[in-house]
Amino acid sequence: MNVLRFESESAWIACVCSLWRDRLQTNPGLKMCLPSGTTPAGIYAGMSKSARAGLASFAWASVFALDEFGGLAPDDPGRTRHTLQRQLIDAVDLPASRFYFLDPDVPDVNHHCTAYDEAIGDGFDLMLLGIGLNGHLGMNEPGSAPDSPTRRVELHGSTVQSAARYFAHQNVPQWGLTVGLQAVLASKEVWLLANGPAKAGIIQQTVRGEIDPSNPASLLRRHENCSLFVDAEAGGLLLD
Ligand code: PGA
């Protein structure tokens, strides 16, 4: 795992956006998997700005949403699909037909998840990930099998608690659908992103602790092309 630590959040954002523009330029048909959450918000704003300035194009690319919350109204603004649309998709030139998302309201969720894995096909070129306070990736909670497929999952208590900030109501989701660790670990390139002081502990464990499914993010240390991008706060315990 290549660890990149930045002195400021703005430098962290600028570097990720610059590399992302480069990947799109080198491979216009880039197949990406993207998270929602608060971590990538500034990066998505930077990429939206780049697209508006003509410095980045998603015209030939594909984007798959990493996960989706279940048990919400279809138009709930906290759903991953809507958050990603607001933060990035609506601001860039990605054709609507190449934005893939998970729908927890379909009658046959298992079939839907299998079809998602089929659409992913031979894997992602680039996967962006946030990290949960317990090391989860997407909704792959601690204990998820490294070869897990896209599937329905129950969220851990701490995940439910921390997801509450995404919603303006009390009906915080207890379950969701997530791309599995199999597709995460098979992605050609993975960028694990973390900012802010709350992530310092789990980042330290991820980089220095045991490689074990009890911390899904630690499994990325076995990936051949994974970079961890942290700001000074999230990387604050990595120095010594
Ligand atoms: P956050 O969520 O980006 O909102 O901190 C990360 C996660 O729980 O995966």
Side-chain angles (χ1 to χ4, degrees):
M1 183 183 268
N2 181 26
V3 180
L4 298 157
R5 185 174 176 275
F6 298 85
E7 283 313 314
S8 67
E9 193 184 34
S10 57
W12 173 80
I13 292 172
C15 178
V16 174
C17 288
S18 160
L19 289 171
W20 197 348
R21 286 192 297 269
D22 172 75
R23 297 299 183 273
L24 282 165
Q25 208 156 29
T26 310
N27 178 9
L30 200 69
K31 197 195 292 183
M32 291 162 275
C33 186
L34 301 181
S36 63
T38 47
T39 302
I43 292 164
Y44 292 158
M47 287 307 285
S48 302
K49 201 170 154 196
S50 296
R52 278 194 299 272
L55 300 173
S57 174
F58 289 71
W60 304 101
S62 313
V63 170
F64 287 72
L66 174 63
D67 53 26
E68 186 57 275
F69 293 106
L72 297 169
D75 62 350
D76 192 298
R79 277 170 79 137
T80 296
R81 171 190 174 185
H82 301 312
T83 306
L84 260 179
Q85 273 175 322
R86 269 194 322 275
Q87 293 183 328
L88 180 74
I89 306 298
D90 291 348
V92 301
D93 56 349
L94 180 81
S97 62
R98 273 191 259 114
F99 176 43
Y100 298 83
F101 49 85
L102 289 157
D103 182 355
D105 302 322
V106 294
D108 187 343
V109 161
N110 289 339
H111 179 263
H112 180 63
C113 289
T114 304
Y116 207 65
D117 278 334
E118 281 167 11
I120 293 168
D122 62 355
F124 295 113
D125 298 307
L126 177 63
M127 158 131 344
L128 269 62
L129 295 166
I131 182 170
L133 294 174
N134 62 4
H136 69 217
L137 300 175
M139 293 177 186
N140 292 284
E141 297 283 21
S144 297
D147 62 353
S148 51
T150 298
R151 67 204 185 285
R152 178 188 160 131
V153 287
E154 305 305 312
L155 300 177
H156 284 195
S158 67
T159 303
V160 173
Q161 220 173 1
S162 109
R165 66 205 150 102
Y166 306 142
F167 304 98
H169 52 73
Q170 307 301 313
N171 174 29
V172 182
Q174 310 284 317
W175 64 277
L177 306 182
T178 187
V179 166
L181 288 180
Q182 192 280 330
V184 171
L185 297 171
S187 178
K188 293 193 185 85
E189 184 166 15
V190 178
W191 296 350
L192 180 62
L193 311 167
N195 58 351
K199 298 289 171 69
I202 189 63
I203 287 297
Q204 183 190 36
Q205 276 178 47
T206 298
V207 175
R208 306 247 192 267
E210 254 185 81
I211 300 179
D212 190 83
S214 60
N215 175 8
S218 70
L219 302 175
L220 292 170
R221 279 168 44 205
R222 294 212 180 103
H223 193 281
E224 282 181 357
N225 190 8
C226 174
S227 296
L228 166 65
F229 295 84
V230 286
D231 70 355
E233 292 179 323
L237 299 176
L238 293 179
L239 291 181
D240 39 341

